[in-house]
């Protein structure tokens, strides 16, 4: 069974940093692109970042470029999102998903940026 | 960037009646390999999104056959032949042809009248 379990969210002050993790199981992690998608409270879905199978290709939505870094560790079947210089508008539930077509999703992790 | 426009944004439906959601893209979603990378997702209240269809009309495992996906080029439709209570939620289309960025529609909220 495919499972994606996010962790690392929480409350952080504006300008602060946070690292999200996504632990994958039930499939060959190194064979898939992985994606982060976020959803602000009461809003729709927004693509945040993608990474290819070996980590050599990374793409970001303009609003997070230079602040967020997507990475992966295929030996640990894990995906990461390092978030720095956080702003109030980054407050959202962050989901990791498998593949560029988002075939499977994690349960989501809430990040709240507030003083 | 490709803009995905869904309509309607709110869809009250009577149980047992059909429902239809439109998704239009600002550019053709046909990729150079001949595939059309248009996906549909369902998000029930309080849950994570779940993919229903990929490449326009390929139904994911476990998706009831009352759901269907169709369309081509820039016009796509998600249909529910007979709405059931468990279908309440928000439905999103997403394109994966012209990237980055990958873009979602605004979402269509399906509720029971």
């Amino acid at each position: 069974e495919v499972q994606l379990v996010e962790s690392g969210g929480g409350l952080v002050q504006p300008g602060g940093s946070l690292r999200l993790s996504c632990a994958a199981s039930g499939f060959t992690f190194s064979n898939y692109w992985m994606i982060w998608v976020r959803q602000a409270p009461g809003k729709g879905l927004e693509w945040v970042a993608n990474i290819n199978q070996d980590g050599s290709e990374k793409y970001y939505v303009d609003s997070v470029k230079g602040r967020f870094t997507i990475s992966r560790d295929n030996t640990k079947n894990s995906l990461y999102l390092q978030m720095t210089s956080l702003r109030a508008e980054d407050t959202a539930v962050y989901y990791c998903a498998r593949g560029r077509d988002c075939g499977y999703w994690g349960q989501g992790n809430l990040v709240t940026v507030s003083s | 960037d490709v803009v995905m426009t869904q309509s309607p944004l709110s869809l009250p439906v009577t149980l047992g009646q059909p429902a239809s959601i439109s998704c239009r893209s600002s550019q053709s979603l046909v990729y150079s390999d001949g595939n059309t990378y248009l996906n549909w997702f369902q998000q029930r209240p309080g849950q994570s999104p779940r993919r229903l269809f990929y490449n326009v009309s390929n139904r994911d495992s476990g998706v009831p056959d009352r759901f269907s996906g169709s369309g081509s080029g820039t016009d796509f439709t998600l249909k529910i032949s007979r709405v059931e209570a468990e279908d309440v939620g928000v439905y999103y289309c997403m394109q994966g042809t012209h990237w980055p960025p990958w873009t979602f529609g605004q979402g269509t909220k399906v509720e029971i009248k």
Side-chain angles (χ1 to χ4, degrees):
Chain A
E1 179 194 4
V2 173
Q3 283 200 319
L4 297 168
V5 179
E6 299 99 339
S7 60
L11 175 64
V12 61
Q13 292 189 338
S17 300
L18 214 52
R19 187 198 199 202
L20 301 182
S21 299
C22 172
S25 60
F27 65 100
T28 303
F29 181 71
S30 58
N31 285 353
Y32 288 87
W33 282 72
M34 294 297 293
I35 182 171
W36 287 101
V37 175
R38 67 183 178 184
Q39 186 170 37
K43 302 297 184 182
L45 302 173
E46 179 185 37
W47 167 73
V48 175
N50 267 20
I51 187 169
N52 72 338
Q53 290 90 333
D54 64 4
S56 61
E57 292 184 52
K58 303 176 184 182
Y59 302 95
Y60 301 91
V61 68
D62 285 348
S63 59
V64 309
K65 282 180 184 174
R67 300 189 299 122
F68 289 13
T69 303
I70 189 173
S71 62
R72 65 191 295 160
D73 186 337
N74 288 343
T75 66
K76 295 182 179 179
N77 292 340
S78 292
L79 174 72
Y80 306 102
L81 187 67
Q82 179 68 48
M83 304 183 291
T84 63
S85 302
L86 282 161
R87 305 167 180 166
E89 54 265 35
D90 296 319
T91 294
V93 173
Y94 285 73
Y95 297 97
C96 64
R98 189 186 83 171
R100 287 179 289 181
D101 54 4
C102 301
Y104 290 90
W105 295 64
Q107 85 284 358
N109 209 232
L110 177 62
V111 172
T112 302
V113 184
S114 174
S115 54
Chain B
D1 297 357
V2 175
V3 176
M4 306 297 290
T5 304
Q6 290 184 227
S7 62
L9 300 185
S10 178
L11 184 56
V13 188
T14 301
L15 287 173
Q17 293 301 302
S20 181
I21 299 170
S22 170
C23 174
R24 289 197 167 96
S25 57
S26 59
Q27 302 177 38
S28 173
L29 296 186
V30 181
Y31 191 56
S32 54
D33 63 5
N35 289 317
T36 299
Y37 295 100
L38 185 282
N39 307 309
W40 286 100
F41 300 91
Q42 174 196 60
Q43 187 175 32
R44 291 171 171 153
Q47 294 188 12
S48 302
R50 163 202 184 194
R51 195 179 68 184
L52 300 177
F53 293 92
Y54 62 96
N55 295 10
V56 181
S57 58
N58 293 281
R59 185 182 293 108
D60 273 285
S61 175
V63 175
D65 60 9
R66 64 178 180 276
F67 287 90
S68 64
S70 63
S72 62
T74 61
D75 284 314
F76 305 93
T77 303
L78 176 70
K79 290 183 179 177
I80 311 174
S81 59
R82 295 172 305 279
V83 171
E84 298 189 5
E86 66 178 18
D87 300 336
V88 164
V90 182
Y91 293 79
Y92 297 90
C93 59
M94 185 200 87
Q95 68 85 22
T97 295
H98 302 287
W99 54 267
W102 285 257
T103 46
F104 289 90
Q106 316 97 301
T108 295
K109 186 174 184 178
V110 172
E111 57 185 10
I112 305 301
K113 280 183 184 175

